[in-house]
Amino acid sequence: ISAFPTMTMVCNPSITLAERENQLLQIVAGISPGADFNNTATAQGKAFDWLVNVDPAQVCPEEQLDVVQRYVLALLFYETNGSNWTFCTPNPVESTCPFMGEDRFLTAGSVCQWINITCADPEDANSDIVEIVLPSNNLSGEIPDELSALTQLATLDLMDNCLIGTI
């Protein structure tokens, strides 16, 4: 049982789906400048498509911290071949999730409840991410520069994976 209820955002009723997508695009374009968000062959395109069309939480643009954190973690997932991770991919058939009380990546719950993600205030579902710990989880690919958008991130443990890039 999750400490946080499943997050279902209800955006301003006057906002259209196209306006929501455009506002989300403005936010993520500031995180991934120059990215082609319409190209779902790229990790940025996949993460943006997930955020706009697939994310069960359907975050609202006015929830900027949530938008940023969900986008960056989705980008980390797609950039590091998340569907091949050993633990806690979104699909329970593809991987086990042996960590009690934590959600899989890319699920509706708060990012603060996703596996091995720690937020500054464990009681606040809208708190800043301060720790990402994903060692020995078969991550492969490039460490996304966009992790720098997680301004309160103090610990990043990606040991024993097959990653390239600088932090």
Side-chain angles (χ1 to χ4, degrees):
I1 297 176
S2 176
F4 301 110
T6 298
M7 296 173 58
T8 303
M9 298 292 175
V10 179
C11 293
N12 178 340
S14 66
I15 189 174
T16 67
L17 291 177
E19 289 169 331
R20 176 182 174 269
E21 181 174 352
N22 186 49
Q23 290 175 19
L24 291 173
L25 179 60
Q26 290 175 3
I27 295 168
V28 300
I31 300 167
S32 300
D36 180 1
F37 296 103
N38 292 318
N39 182 355
T40 56
T42 68
Q44 288 85 359
K46 288 176 187 175
F48 181 66
D49 180 66
W50 174 81
L51 185 69
V52 172
N53 300 308
V54 180
D55 182 2
Q58 289 297 291
V59 294
C60 301
E62 54 270 13
E63 298 291 333
Q64 189 159 349
L65 178 62
D66 205 24
V67 170
V68 169
Q69 293 186 150
R70 293 180 85 79
Y71 170 74
V72 170
L73 289 180
L75 181 57
L76 175 65
F77 179 83
Y78 289 116
E79 191 73 63
T80 61
N81 296 302
S83 60
N84 293 319
W85 289 2
T86 305
F87 299 110
C88 300
T89 65
N91 185 343
V93 174
E94 293 176 354
S95 69
T96 60
C97 197
F99 308 98
M100 297 298 291
E102 295 189 16
D103 293 337
R104 296 172 175 277
F105 258 68
L106 307 186
T107 54
S110 163
V111 294
C112 298
Q113 286 300 107
W114 290 2
I115 186 67
N116 291 354
I117 303 298
T118 303
C119 291
D121 182 354
E123 301 298 318
D124 182 1
N126 295 313
S127 183
D128 285 290
I129 294 172
V130 295
E131 185 175 85
I132 299 173
V133 180
L134 296 168
S136 306
N137 199 17
N138 200 34
L139 280 70
S140 63
E142 192 166 344
I143 299 168
D145 293 335
E146 289 88 345
L147 285 173
S148 65
L150 303 176
T151 59
Q152 300 303 307
L153 185 64
T155 302
L156 178 64
D157 181 353
L158 303 174
M159 288 179 38
D160 296 323
N161 288 294
C162 189
L163 297 167
I164 59 172
T166 57
I167 301 173

